[in-house]
Amino acid sequence: MKHYAGLDLSMETTQVCVVDESGRKIVSMKVESTPAMIAQALHEVRGVERAVIETGRMSPAICHGLRALGIPIVCIDARQAHQSLKALKANKTDPHDAAGLAQLARTGFYKEVHVKSPAAHGVRSVITARNHLVEARVRLDNMIRGLCATFGFKPGPGQGKGFIDRVIEAANIPGLGQSITALLAVRTELMKQIKEMDLVLREFAHRSQSCRQLMSIPGVGVQTSAAFAAAIDEVGRFRQSRTAGAYFGLVPRRHQSGEIDRTGRITKQGDSMVRKLLYEAANSILTRSRGSFALKGWAMKIAKRRGLRKARVALARRLAVIMHAMLRDGTLFEA
């Protein structure tokens, strides 16, 4: 007899529920959240046809670990699962969630999502860490400016060597020197780490054929190409390149019901980091890139009709489509 399992994953423990073909509960237990312990629990129930888990922070590691141990695991969209589980049970508990996921595994009423490879997650972790370091550096700069302003000293704009030299002068002000010295020491270490992250990304982009292809587009740099390639991970999972724009939430939201048919702003679903980088690349093409080429001319026409902001969004969506097509075909950008 075939069995189906639902896994409600948390940091420490995982609730496991197994049902048979008729939906009758066979096993319900709680195990440690490791692939080995979950696989052992499922192997005790013979004939597990499919196991279902929701997307989450630990899902990639658990999915890859279970697949390596021979468990047929499927990762499903947590938003869709939430709506389904809410309809199945009035009370939200771990056993109820696991039982609901098991029923979804049995009926096949779910939307499977792609689990990115460890290499893709590694690239994303470097970009994410760098972004947080940059945000910390900006907060430090603002704090330094605020403290200096309290004592009537104005460091002025900028963030380079000139800014640091002016702030060092503030260290001689009584009551301010110790604070400024401590903040500058932390800022120096932050800048060192940011430069190391930049070096890691540049080396990765230099080694990656996908990144070299994508960087042939004006305005697309190391971060954008690396983040996009990591987010796509497997080019073949998109049957059409135009779906890449929707994948990153760059298509208009639509609500249709009877005579009502409204089109709103973009959905902003999917990977927010890549969506932001695509928007910045589009802005770079429109405002910084020199020369004229067909893609820029197309976006400039939209800017004249609808404004620069909508032109950036439209160009970001077009960039996602073009970049996926380039990765699929293995070609360079042709202006």
Side-chain angles (χ1 to χ4, degrees):
M1 179 179 290
K2 295 180 180 179
H3 295 130
Y4 302 89
L7 310 177
D8 186 52
L9 185 68
S10 63
M11 293 294 294
E12 301 297 332
T13 60
T14 296
Q15 185 71 37
V16 179
C17 180
V18 180
V19 300
D20 60 16
E21 292 177 312
S22 63
R24 184 172 59 91
K25 187 183 296 184
I26 303 298
V27 173
S28 182
M29 69 181 82
K30 184 170 286 189
V31 299
E32 185 181 349
S33 292
T34 62
M37 295 303 295
I38 297 173
Q40 180 181 343
L42 294 178
H43 281 310
E44 292 177 359
V45 183
R46 299 182 181 278
V48 174
E49 183 75 11
R50 187 185 306 116
V52 160
I53 192 172
E54 296 178 88
T55 53
R57 288 181 296 177
M58 294 181 62
S59 299
I62 296 296
C63 281
H64 288 301
L66 289 176
R67 286 170 181 171
L69 294 172
I71 301 297
I73 185 76
V74 174
C75 188
I76 69 173
D77 188 357
R79 290 170 300 178
Q80 183 198 28
H82 172 72
Q83 298 297 327
S84 301
L85 296 178
K86 187 167 62 174
L88 288 173
K89 295 290 184 180
N91 297 322
K92 187 186 185 311
T93 64
D94 290 345
H96 284 173
D97 287 348
L101 291 172
Q103 296 297 341
L104 293 180
R106 180 179 67 89
T107 60
F109 184 69
Y110 56 78
K111 180 181 180 181
E112 184 176 1
V113 298
H114 173 73
V115 181
K116 295 183 179 67
S117 64
H121 280 291
V123 174
R124 290 177 57 82
S125 68
V126 173
I127 298 174
T128 302
R130 183 193 180 279
N131 290 341
H132 283 290
L133 290 175
V134 172
E135 291 174 1
R137 194 266 305 162
V138 172
R139 287 196 298 270
L140 275 178
D141 287 354
N142 292 336
M143 186 179 297
I144 290 171
R145 287 190 172 91
L147 292 175
C148 290
T150 303
F151 286 82
F153 184 85
K154 299 178 181 179
Q159 61 184 30
K161 185 177 182 301
F163 171 74
I164 298 299
D165 292 340
R166 292 191 297 270
V167 171
I168 291 176
E169 297 177 7
N172 300 321
I173 300 176
L176 185 60
Q178 188 173 5
S179 302
I180 292 298
T181 302
L183 292 174
L184 284 179
V186 175
R187 188 186 190 278
T188 301
E189 183 61 27
L190 276 176
M191 293 300 298
K192 178 182 176 182
Q193 296 299 325
I194 291 172
K195 290 179 180 178
E196 290 184 3
M197 292 292 185
D198 288 338
L199 180 60
V200 170
L201 286 175
R202 283 198 297 270
E203 290 178 350
F204 170 78
H206 179 72
R207 295 193 307 268
S208 171
Q209 180 181 357
S210 298
C211 289
R212 294 198 300 271
Q213 287 176 233
L214 298 178
M215 285 191 294
S216 64
I217 304 175
V220 174
V222 171
Q223 277 196 71
T224 305
S225 61
F228 186 88
I232 296 297
D233 195 23
E234 294 182 10
V235 180
R237 66 192 183 98
F238 293 96
R239 289 185 298 177
Q240 295 179 324
S241 294
R242 64 182 182 184
T243 57
Y247 180 73
F248 295 114
L250 289 167
V251 296
R253 187 186 302 273
R254 187 177 182 186
H255 175 79
Q256 186 181 53
S257 178
E259 291 76 25
I260 300 173
D261 192 353
R262 294 196 301 265
T263 301
R265 297 178 181 272
I266 59 174
T267 62
K268 293 187 178 180
Q269 301 294 324
D271 195 324
S272 59
M273 178 177 68
V274 177
R275 184 169 59 252
K276 177 183 176 182
L277 290 171
L278 288 172
Y279 185 87
E280 291 177 355
N283 182 63
S284 177
I285 291 175
L286 287 170
T287 60
R288 298 190 186 96
S289 63
R290 298 179 179 178
S292 178
F293 47 96
L295 184 63
K296 181 179 179 180
W298 172 82
M300 292 301 295
K301 291 179 181 178
I302 296 178
K304 292 179 181 178
R305 297 196 314 266
R306 307 294 299 278
L308 192 58
R309 183 176 179 181
K310 290 188 176 182
R312 293 192 193 103
V313 174
L315 182 53
R317 180 169 60 249
R318 180 63 66 89
L319 278 175
V321 175
I322 293 173
M323 291 166 74
H324 178 269
M326 290 170 59
L327 293 179
R328 181 195 61 203
D329 301 335
T331 56
L332 299 177
F333 179 75
E334 296 179 4

